[in-house]
């Protein structure tokens, strides 16, 4: 067996991934993952696997094989040398291929959950948000309290006049942030090109971030980001199905755009019911490394209600990297005080239903949320 077991690694040479593995034998599974996802076949050795090659390029299993052998499941730490990825051009796409790739095809690995990622931001070519939390507070003038967002509904089928009325009502009611729904993209009823012209006409003179949905295949998504910036827009909304590498790619274009990461569908990757998954906090960390300004992080107390401690840790990680954690999926004016008490003020309350269903209309619904948030201003004693 190759000598890939170590007690520790130099964090400036290796990034470390924590997994929960399950299979016929935990040690065999860990060895196959480390070797198979760095230098060779999980179970077949050849003459070119020299000690020098293994030393320089193989992933390492942190721990002694005797402590893993004979177990069917357990926590395993695998460390990869940074040098096996060209971080500037391979990016998140290749990183994901390495850490959650070929081990899915090994018949004696029955479960593989990626739970934690320990990685150096400088060594993986991480980028900062162009604006982030500090930029959004500066633009809107709202400090020491949560930010307020809303969502354009219906998802598709709107006329241009209806879209303008909805956006106008949100602005009148006092939002800081508006995002289009992830279904919008480029429908025949209101193509992106037409929406930009309509929306920017309403937003003139306002200090609101408006994120246009630009979901698309690689050939088109960057062009759509450029179109939004060229026509005066200040934000884009991209669902993760457009690819985890797209966020950094748009950030690198250096356009005057806020980038919003939208998570709908993430449970295909992150659900605890999956035998093979990436924990949602890890995906949030990857988003923060990619320079997103805002990310739909989760929710507490709504129709979606995440584990409080995990959500708090993820929100703190994001805000410490100047990324805005957005909480959505059942946010209401009544929930704002309790959410703020539990999680602090550094979040975006992104509200859909509680605004849209207000009996007095969208502007009144928005004002109700605005008033609830303004009461949370921590600078007022």
């Amino acid at each position: 067996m190759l000598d890939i077991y170590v007690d520790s690694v130099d964090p400036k040479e290796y990034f470390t991934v924590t997994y929960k593995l399950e299979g016929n034998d935990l040690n065999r599974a860990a060895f196959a993952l480390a070797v198979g996802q760095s230098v060779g076949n999980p179970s077949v050795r050849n003459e070119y696997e020299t000690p020098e090659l293994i030393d320089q390029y193989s992933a390492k299993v942190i721990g002694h094989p005797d402590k893993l052998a004979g177990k069917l499941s357990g926590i395993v730490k695998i460390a990869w040398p940074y040098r096996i990825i060209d971080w500037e051009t391979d990016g998140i796409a290749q990183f994901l291929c390495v850490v959650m790739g070929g081990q899915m095809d090994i018949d004696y690995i029955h479960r593989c959950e990626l739970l934690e990622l320990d990685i150096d931001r400088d060594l993986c070519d991480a980028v900062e948000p162009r604006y982030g939390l500090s930029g959004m507070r500066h633009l809107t003038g709202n400090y020491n309290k949560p930010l307020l967002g809303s969502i354009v509904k219906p998802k598709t089928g709107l006329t241009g006049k209806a879209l303008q009325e909805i956006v106008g009502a949100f602005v009148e009611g006092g939002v800081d942030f508006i995002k289009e729904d992830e279904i919008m993209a480029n429908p025949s009823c209101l193509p992106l090109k037409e929406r930009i012209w309509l929306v920017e006409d309403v937003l003139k003179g306002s200090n609101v971030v408006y994120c246009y949905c630009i979901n698309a295949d690689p050939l088109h998504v960057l062009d759509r980001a450029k179109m939004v910036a060229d026509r005066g827009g200040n934000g884009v909304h991209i669902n993760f199905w457009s690819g985890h590498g797209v966020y950094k790619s748009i950030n690198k274009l250096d356009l005057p755009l806020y980038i919003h990461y939208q998570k709908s569908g993430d449970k295909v990757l992150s659900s605890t019911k999956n035998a093979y998954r990436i924990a949602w906090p890890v995906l949030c960390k990857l988003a923060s490394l990619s320079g997103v300004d805002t990310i739909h992080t989760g929710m507490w107390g709504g129709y979606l209600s995440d584990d409080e401690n995990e959500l708090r840790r993820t929100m703190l990680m994001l805000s410490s990297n100047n990324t805005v954690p957005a909480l959505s999926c059942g946010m209401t004016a009544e929930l704002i005080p309790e959410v703020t008490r539990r999680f602090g003020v550094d979040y975006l309350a992104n509200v859909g239903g509680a605004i849209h269903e207000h009996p007095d209309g969208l502007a009144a619904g928005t004002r109700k949320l605005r008033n609830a948030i303004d009461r949370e201003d921590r600078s007022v004693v």
Side-chain angles (χ1 to χ4, degrees), residues 92-109:
I92 296 295
Q94 181 64 4
F95 166 82
L96 289 172
C97 181
V98 168
V99 300
M100 288 299 281
Q103 69 265 41
M104 312 302 166
D105 303 321
I106 298 173
D107 59 0
Y108 52 82
I109 296 180

Side-chain angles (χ1 to χ4, degrees), residues 152-154 157-170 184 189-191 194-195 197-199 201-202 210 362:
V152 175
K153 306 276 187 178
L158 281 172
T159 65
K161 182 175 183 293
L163 176 61
Q164 287 188 314
E165 289 175 354
I166 291 167
V167 174
F170 289 158
M184 213 160 207
C189 60
L190 267 181
E194 183 178 344
R195 295 202 310 275
W197 178 81
L198 292 166
V199 169
D201 189 51
V202 176
Y210 186 98
L362 296 180

